[in-house]
Amino acid sequence: MKNLKQKFEDKIHDSRSRVSNLVHDYGDKIIGEISLRQIFSGMRGMLSMVTETSKLDPNEGIRFRGYSIPEIQDLLPRANNSNQPLPEGMFYLMLIGELPNEKDVALISKELEARSSVPDYVYSVINNLPKEMHPMTQFSIAILSLRNNSEFSKAYQKGIGKKDYWDSTFEDALNLIAKLPYIASYIYRRNYHNEDYIKPLKNVDWSENFAHMLGFSNSEFKDLIRLYMTIHSDHEGGNVSAHTSHLVGSALSDAYLSFSAGMNGLAGPLHGLANQEVVKWLLQMQKELGGGLPEREKIAEYVQNTLDSGKVIPGFGHAVLRKTDPRYTAQREFALKYLPDDELFLLVSRVFEVVPPILEATGKVKNPWPNVDAHSGILLLKYGMREYDFFTVLFGVSRSLGIMSQLIWSRALGMPIERPGSTTTDILLKKFSN
Ligand code: HAX
């Protein structure tokens, strides 16, 4: 049976021809226009790059290689006695472009286990960081320090040809994905559990081992991690973390440099850090409103106060989506199945009813509906993971699956260094105000 790398290699030739024929035949076709407003609005809606792994539709949500989240949940292989897909299957799907079978997925789990050993110096780097340092900063530094072992950097220094760049990038990508749960759980146990580290399990899937090393043995929590790792993995190419990694990678920076850079973007409150901000905001609201499940009117007042003080409502809105995020819905379904009466779940549900009309009434918020981050935190709290400033690290571990698939494809397709143009306000004023 062919391993993952051989299967990927089989895809390269045809994919390269497809791209070069497309550009040869239609290279001069116009695919969109850019307004002046767009360049002052974070390039919103500007089609400007190709990302093979997934596509985000404003009204439908994300599709991974054409498959929606409910389809993924139905079609990807699962671990024994599990109700959720294995994220290894998502990685296979994004990389190879086809649904994997159980054997394909089991091979990836094995491959990751074989590559999981983290050099001691990386743990020393973490040990030398202050514990008060935010876990995302520790995570990014640890990833950066791993680049000492980059296969791509070594191969590049030896002078390999461009068409072979993908090969050592593939090695770096798999090595990185394999090691991230070890690094993340080390940071977690060091910061919050008196440096009481837990030895890994053998012959289990990537998520089960991760849950175990974090210190959780509950089978529902393991399934939650499988779901979490699957649905957070990719959101096409333009989001801050994926785009940053792509941009940095386009300079032929290796997988570690690229991914660490992407994690620095994920650590921003308008992106991945929103998952911590949501929990902070909900707990504060609950406290200020006297505990328990507050009345709708009280929640509405609290939401209005948050807006009036100049803050955003974390977990709501999106730069692309114009409907409730299907990743939110998948987590809501998990909650309805396993914790329908949980007080914080009921609060999240109530906030879901109360917030959209208030955001709509502002007249400026383009998407008043909840995004992925509005739900993820309270599920983790329920199973005993209460240290919410760690939550974005979990997001980051999952994102490696998408970002690394994207990087391998960028190398295989010989994507060039990214270098968009920029202008100045003076130039624009001169051009249009005469
Ligand atoms: N609360 C308050 N105001 C909001 C808002 C929210 N949740 N969402 C948008 N707005 C405001 C914007 O700040 C902007 O105001 P100004 O014109 O005064 O600057 C206006 O509404 C228009 O914004 P938009 O076009 O609707 O949204 P953007 O594409 O500019 O921004 C954001 C998208 C996700 C950054 C935004 O909705 C937001 O800040 N949400 C809260 C933070 C959050 O949940 N982030 C996570 C997003 C998902 C993700 O990446 N996860 O990792």
Side-chain angles (χ1 to χ4, degrees):
M1 191 187 161
K2 284 192 175 175
N3 69 23
L4 187 69
K5 193 170 182 181
Q6 290 166 323
K7 282 192 181 173
F8 180 75
E9 191 168 11
D10 290 348
K11 299 270 166 196
I12 296 177
H13 179 70
D14 283 355
S15 303
R16 282 181 182 156
S17 314
R18 232 160 55 107
V19 170
S20 62
N21 291 341
L22 184 72
V23 176
H24 176 269
D25 296 346
Y26 304 108
D28 293 326
K29 295 279 178 205
I30 304 300
I31 54 163
E33 287 180 346
I34 297 170
S35 69
L36 187 145
R37 179 172 292 108
Q38 278 175 295
I39 61 176
F40 282 98
S41 315
M43 299 189 278
R44 217 57 99 254
M46 241 184 233
L47 193 56
S48 56
M49 65 180 113
V50 179
T51 305
E52 308 289 3
T53 49
S54 65
K55 171 73 187 147
L56 181 58
D57 179 89
N59 294 309
E60 257 211 327
I62 191 71
R63 279 186 181 267
F64 305 91
R65 295 285 190 174
Y67 295 99
S68 67
I69 286 180
E71 287 167 346
I72 288 290
Q73 285 179 293
D74 197 31
L75 295 170
L76 286 185
R78 300 171 182 187
N80 284 341
N81 306 319
S82 162
N83 293 312
Q84 296 299 335
L86 285 163
E88 289 91 322
M90 182 64 109
F91 181 61
Y92 183 103
L93 174 65
M94 289 191 285
L95 191 67
I96 306 295
E98 295 160 15
L99 286 169
N101 60 33
E102 285 183 11
K103 277 190 184 153
D104 296 322
V105 167
L107 274 179
I108 299 181
S109 303
K110 264 194 142 158
E111 178 89 41
L112 293 177
E113 187 180 312
R115 292 169 181 261
S116 63
S117 168
V118 175
D120 281 347
Y121 79 83
V122 175
Y123 293 127
S124 304
V125 167
I126 301 173
N127 287 340
N128 279 299
L129 300 174
K131 285 187 181 169
E132 319 77 74
M133 180 181 274
H134 193 279
M136 274 305 275
T137 319
Q138 298 189 38
F139 190 53
S140 177
I141 290 171
I143 293 163
L144 206 50
S145 77
L146 269 177
R147 83 163 293 248
N148 227 23
N149 300 301
S150 167
E151 297 299 329
F152 175 78
S153 296
K154 281 184 222 155
Y156 189 79
Q157 290 309 321
K158 276 191 198 148
I160 47 156
K162 190 173 179 182
K163 67 175 183 8
D164 295 324
Y165 286 173
W166 71 270
D167 190 318
S168 46
T169 298
F170 182 101
E171 295 299 319
D172 281 349
L174 273 272
N175 288 339
L176 174 64
I177 295 169
K179 294 174 194 343
L180 288 179
Y182 286 69
I183 290 175
S185 54
Y186 191 87
I187 292 170
Y188 181 71
R189 301 295 301 180
R190 174 174 176 264
N191 262 34
Y192 312 112
H193 292 274
N194 299 320
E195 303 174 17
D196 179 12
Y197 306 111
I198 298 172
K199 286 212 165 71
L201 294 172
K202 295 269 171 230
N203 300 317
V204 297
D205 59 270
W206 187 65
S207 310
E208 175 165 0
N209 189 37
F210 188 20
H212 165 79
M213 289 190 296
L214 287 165
F216 296 84
S217 52
N218 180 304
S219 58
E220 282 174 24
F221 183 83
K222 287 178 193 162
D223 255 5
L224 176 63
I225 292 293
R226 291 182 183 113
L227 173 68
Y228 192 113
M229 293 294 133
T230 301
I231 63 176
H232 286 79
S233 60
D234 207 43
H235 221 220
E236 69 167 40
N239 66 79
V240 171
S241 50
H243 187 197
T244 306
S245 295
H246 176 73
L247 172 65
V248 174
S250 82
L252 296 185
S253 304
D254 62 51
Y256 304 99
L257 290 168
S258 312
F259 190 66
S260 170
M263 290 303 95
N264 299 339
L266 194 73
L270 297 188
H271 190 19
L273 199 81
N275 65 5
Q276 112 173 10
E277 296 300 289
V278 166
V279 174
K280 217 195 264 181
W281 182 72
L282 287 173
L283 295 179
Q284 188 64 26
M285 173 198 296
Q286 206 182 28
K287 192 170 155 199
E288 285 185 29
L289 300 182
L293 182 62
E295 296 299 323
R296 285 175 181 73
E297 297 70 35
K298 292 275 175 212
I299 295 175
E301 251 175 59
Y302 193 86
V303 170
Q304 195 58 57
N305 286 341
T306 303
L307 289 177
D308 292 347
S309 66
K311 295 182 195 141
V312 295
I313 307 301
F316 283 78
H318 201 273
V320 180
L321 280 166
R322 293 296 175 257
K323 269 204 157 172
T324 297
D325 191 335
R327 299 172 298 176
Y328 175 95
T329 310
Q331 296 179 90
R332 178 171 167 78
E333 278 161 14
F334 187 96
L336 284 169
K337 183 166 178 184
Y338 294 112
L339 44 130
D341 303 321
D342 178 71
E343 200 170 69
L344 279 174
F345 169 57
L346 295 175
L347 177 58
V348 164
S349 303
R350 202 165 265 193
V351 165
F352 180 19
E353 292 167 28
V354 170
V355 167
I358 300 177
L359 288 182
E360 262 171 348
T362 64
K364 64 174 186 179
V365 178
K366 295 193 190 64
N367 175 37
W369 302 105
N371 60 55
V372 63
D373 301 312
H375 216 303
S376 54
I378 63 110
L379 295 175
L380 296 163
L381 289 184
K382 166 70 186 171
Y383 291 101
M385 185 180 263
R386 304 202 63 81
E387 304 85 0
Y388 51 75
D389 57 354
F390 181 75
F391 290 177
T392 314
V393 174
L394 294 178
F395 195 155
V397 174
S398 167
R399 259 301 139 93
S400 67
L401 301 176
I403 288 177
M404 287 301 108
S405 311
Q406 292 183 15
L407 187 69
I408 298 168
W409 268 112
S410 295
R411 293 281 190 266
L413 295 175
M415 291 293 189
I417 187 164
E418 206 175 79
R419 191 4 178 136
S422 71
T423 188
T424 68
T425 305
D426 275 348
I427 293 171
L428 291 169
L429 275 171
K430 266 193 207 130
K431 189 174 166 76
F432 293 111
S433 64
N434 291 325

